[in-house]
Amino acid sequence: MEEHDGLKQAIEAAQAMMDETGYPGKPEFAEAIAVAQAVYDSPVGADVQAVLKELRLAQVRYYNSQYTRPAVAQKVSEVDYNLKNGVEKYVLRVDGRPFYMTNVQVRLDKLYGYEGWNDTELESVMKQAASDGFNTVSIPVFWREVEPEKDLFDWRILDKYMGWCKKYGLKMELLWFSWSSGGRVQYLWNCNGRKELRTPDYVCSLAGTSEFNMLKTDFEYSLDWRDKKLRDRERYVLSEIMEHVAVWDANNGIPHVVVGVQLGNEARAHGRNTATSAEIIDYYHHVGAAVKESKYSVWTRLNCVSYETSGRTSANEAKRNNGGTNIDFVGIDIYGTNASKVKGNMDGQLGTNGKNFRMIMEIDAKDSNSPVYQMAALAGDKSFDYYNYCVVDGNALYGADGHKLVEREHIGEVRQRNKMLNLANQDIAVKAHGKGLYVYNYAGNSVSAETGLEGISFLPSSSRVQAVAVRHSAHEILLLSTARGTFVLPATMKVADVSFGYMDEEGRWVRETDGEVVNRKVTLNGTACVRLEIGEEGTGEESYVVNPEFNNSYMVDGAPY
């Protein structure tokens, strides 16, 4: 009886899907629905479970029939380690261009699975994230969301996420949480009486059963990091995901929405599921091959609980130096910190180590100092990702009134910094603090003038105002501020032209309004970027260097990034 009712529900869902869409595979899908209906009407002697499975597979085939263009093999993003042509630090590149992420993790999964938000409400969250100046969103994707039953792949949730990103001009880091959050299997749904795990039942069921080795068979469940069968299956599933991302991209104008993949979530021991750093790295090196060998190659990363970061990083660098790794970089999740630590080595957990690109992958977004930390991270030559955007886990930039977002007081400062960083994004991506870039008031606690890049000082209007100066070329300097502040130029600097504007994605200056230097001062009245064109007689290097750590020998006049 239960199977019979399940078939009825599946037929109704399939019919509704066909009525609402017009994909090329409609005739075949209609036939599959008719076959299922006939079995439902006369179920005696029929294998209802097999018919139900075939109807679901037919639904998948119908959905996928909309994708008529094949995937094209391409490298969408990478970590660039070549410190040449004015590049001063390891750089993330998207479509070959330097890319500095203004990034936030958005827990769409918990909004629908724990809080009961609908698609319209979820889309409004994505729209607001774009409005707040984020150029990238990190979105978890779970095993059950893409493979609800073994060998039955359902791309509707992933496609919805990618579609919203494309619509609102966002890049997406796909956080492949798969089965593990901290080595545990947790709930995907825990709302309105519905409970489902983040895994399909063949991987881990609520009853604690699995095709793989279970080391904890009740909540919070755990599998086995040493289980090669599990590792192989996860690699296969992720390869199917990447193949679909490539197909989706080819059929949606090649927007290259997905730019990175996180492998797992804070992979670590849980209960009897012990694992060393080397074993964790081995596991995800194997799984990460699914990304690197796909037709849609992007950077891969691994996030770590704070005090486990150094060990994971060293293990990954050892693998890099011994045949290579499919994990591009390892980063830190940190809660409870200060600007000095963010700029520095995070208590020894995120120091420089081989070719590891340094990234703060989670940090408490509800902390009113988190916007300050965003700039401290830049001063420490790190990338930065807020956790999280809204409502869940008590760490969010936004609270909620029912299903409506409620701003925290510091969201305005987040918007300022996102806007500023995006005004000269590629320059900020390639220049290092103390070389071709300087972050003023990185700790967000001073109202005093500070001298930085090439003798240029900055006086903030309040202690929370932060600023950046960047050497764009031999004859161009960019000055940026989060809010009102004044830059004071050295007497030896001869300025030929001043203008307000921004750098476009081709690395070209877009002039919006004229600016001026008054008594060697350039004042920005709000979040803005100013370009100084330096005259020939004002390019003498020695006149600008006021700090021995500054070294302008990197400059190549006119060299591309």
Side-chain angles (χ1 to χ4, degrees):
M1 186 65 179
E2 184 176 336
E3 286 184 346
H4 196 241
D5 290 343
L7 180 59
K8 178 182 180 181
Q9 293 171 5
I11 291 169
E12 290 173 348
Q15 186 64 55
M17 181 181 181
M18 190 170 68
D19 292 344
E20 294 167 1
T21 56
Y23 304 141
K26 203 164 192 173
E28 294 82 1
F29 191 33
E31 182 177 346
I33 294 173
V35 169
Q37 185 65 54
V39 171
Y40 176 78
D41 293 337
S42 302
V44 178
D47 186 342
V48 175
Q49 192 63 36
V51 172
L52 179 59
K53 181 69 177 284
E54 179 52 40
L55 178 59
R56 288 173 175 163
L57 289 170
Q59 186 169 336
V60 169
R61 291 192 295 270
Y62 172 61
Y63 180 82
N64 291 342
S65 72
Q66 68 183 290
Y67 298 119
T68 57
R69 295 186 177 184
V72 177
Q74 55 195 313
K75 178 182 284 188
V76 174
S77 70
E78 62 181 329
V79 184
D80 182 0
Y81 304 104
N82 296 310
L83 304 178
K84 299 178 180 179
N85 295 329
V87 176
E88 301 168 357
K89 59 188 178 185
Y90 297 153
V91 177
L92 298 180
R93 290 186 181 270
V94 175
D95 297 326
R97 300 188 182 100
F99 185 65
Y100 192 83
M101 291 188 290
T102 53
N103 196 0
V104 66
Q105 189 173 148
V106 185
R107 294 302 302 263
L108 296 176
D109 60 298
K110 286 193 172 182
L111 287 175
Y112 77 73
Y114 285 48
E115 304 293 332
W117 290 39
N118 61 36
D119 279 0
T120 300
E121 292 162 341
L122 296 178
E123 183 178 354
S124 71
V125 167
M126 299 289 281
K127 182 179 181 180
Q128 185 60 50
S131 180
D132 287 337
F134 291 102
N135 61 26
T136 308
V137 287
S138 301
I139 304 178
V141 175
F142 295 94
W143 201 323
R144 180 180 287 273
E145 289 178 310
V146 295
E147 193 193 20
E149 299 177 32
K150 189 174 184 178
D151 295 323
L152 192 157
F153 290 94
D154 186 340
W155 305 120
R156 286 176 291 179
I157 289 176
L158 177 57
D159 286 1
K160 183 164 55 183
Y161 293 170
M162 293 190 293
W164 288 337
C165 287
K166 179 176 183 286
K167 181 175 180 179
Y168 297 112
L170 295 162
K171 296 299 184 184
M172 173 180 166
E173 282 195 305
L174 191 164
L175 308 186
W176 172 237
F177 277 25
S178 64
W179 64 270
S180 169
S181 282
R184 304 160 295 179
V185 181
Q186 297 176 312
Y187 290 121
L188 176 63
W189 282 93
N190 190 9
C191 179
N192 299 325
R194 179 178 177 180
K195 282 194 174 184
E196 290 181 7
L197 295 178
R198 295 171 175 179
T199 52
D201 285 351
Y202 82 93
V203 177
C204 179
S205 71
L206 284 168
T209 60
S210 175
E211 291 185 9
F212 307 101
N213 189 29
M214 294 282 295
L215 294 177
K216 192 172 188 300
T217 56
D218 56 359
F219 194 80
E220 296 171 316
Y221 312 83
S222 190
L223 296 162
D224 186 352
W225 290 116
R226 300 179 180 90
D227 187 341
K228 292 183 178 180
K229 183 180 173 185
L230 172 65
R231 186 185 69 176
D232 289 345
R233 182 65 187 184
E234 183 172 349
R235 175 175 172 170
Y236 166 72
V237 171
L238 185 54
S239 71
E240 290 293 299
I241 292 170
M242 297 310 298
E243 174 67 21
H244 177 70
V245 170
V247 168
W248 184 93
D249 186 71
N251 285 271
N252 282 274
I254 316 181
H256 291 172
V257 163
V258 174
V259 295
V261 173
Q262 178 177 290
L263 301 169
N265 179 40
E266 296 184 344
R268 63 198 308 246
H270 174 63
R272 292 172 52 227
N273 185 15
T274 59
T276 66
S277 289
E279 287 170 328
I280 295 290
I281 293 299
D282 283 346
Y283 185 97
Y284 280 116
H285 163 70
H286 187 81
V287 172
V291 179
K292 295 303 183 181
E293 296 173 6
S294 75
K295 293 178 180 177
Y296 194 95
S297 179
V298 295
W299 70 65
T300 53
R301 63 177 177 92
L302 188 79
N303 68 320
C304 302
V305 172
S306 58
Y307 56 86
E308 295 176 333
T309 307
S310 178
R312 305 282 195 268
T313 304
S314 293
N316 195 49
E317 290 308 299
K319 182 167 283 292
R320 193 192 307 275
N321 294 329
N322 188 27
T325 177
N326 290 313
I327 306 167
D328 286 322
F329 54 104
V330 176
I332 194 168
D333 294 354
I334 188 72
Y335 294 86
T337 188
N338 59 53
S340 178
K341 291 181 180 180
V342 170
K343 179 177 180 290
N345 65 14
M346 307 298 294
D347 292 324
Q349 290 298 321
L350 196 63
T352 56
N353 190 339
K355 289 187 174 181
N356 193 53
F357 176 87
R358 293 190 296 167
M359 179 177 178
I360 295 170
M361 296 181 178
E362 291 184 17
I363 196 166
D364 188 352
K366 79 174 185 303
D367 186 337
S368 62
N369 285 318
S370 58
V372 170
Y373 301 156
Q374 187 177 8
M375 299 304 297
L378 177 62
D381 297 329
K382 303 178 186 72
S383 188
F384 184 92
D385 193 352
Y386 287 95
Y387 187 89
N388 68 79
Y389 189 63
C390 61
V391 182
V392 301
D393 290 352
N395 303 108
L397 280 174
Y398 285 84
D401 179 7
H403 288 190
K404 293 184 179 180
L405 298 181
V406 176
E407 297 180 359
R408 295 195 190 276
E409 290 184 359
H410 58 285
I411 186 63
E413 293 184 328
V414 174
R415 292 170 183 151
Q416 289 173 341
R417 282 146 183 82
N418 286 344
K419 178 180 178 181
M420 184 190 73
L421 293 169
N422 287 326
L423 291 172
N425 188 276
Q426 292 183 23
D427 293 85
I428 285 166
V430 301
K431 299 302 183 185
H433 179 74
K435 291 185 178 179
L437 177 148
Y438 193 88
V439 177
Y440 297 87
N441 193 23
Y442 82 85
N445 61 1
S446 175
V447 293
S448 299
E450 179 181 355
T451 301
L453 180 75
E454 304 190 8
I456 299 171
S457 63
F458 178 74
L459 181 65
S461 61
S462 72
S463 63
R464 300 284 287 192
V465 177
Q466 296 172 288
V468 176
V470 192
R471 179 56 104 153
H472 176 69
S473 73
H475 299 285
E476 297 168 283
I477 292 175
L478 305 177
L479 306 176
L480 306 97
S481 181
T482 61
R484 181 176 172 81
T486 299
F487 289 92
V488 181
L489 310 183
T492 54
M493 185 175 286
K494 307 302 181 183
V495 178
D497 184 67
V498 184
S499 59
F500 285 83
Y502 62 93
M503 303 299 301
D504 70 12
E505 63 179 15
E506 301 295 335
R508 299 172 300 205
W509 177 248
V510 178
R511 188 187 191 102
E512 294 182 316
T513 60
D514 293 340
E516 60 179 348
V517 178
V518 179
N519 296 325
R520 296 175 29 228
K521 297 178 180 178
V522 179
T523 298
L524 282 64
N525 289 315
T527 311
C529 178
V530 168
R531 172 184 172 270
L532 304 180
E533 183 179 336
I534 309 302
E536 290 293 333
E537 67 273 34
T539 59
E541 177 179 307
E542 292 182 0
S543 300
Y544 297 162
V545 180
V546 298
N547 186 321
E549 74 175 347
F550 290 2
N551 176 7
N552 293 342
S553 62
Y554 63 84
M555 287 195 297
V556 179
D557 190 13
Y561 292 157

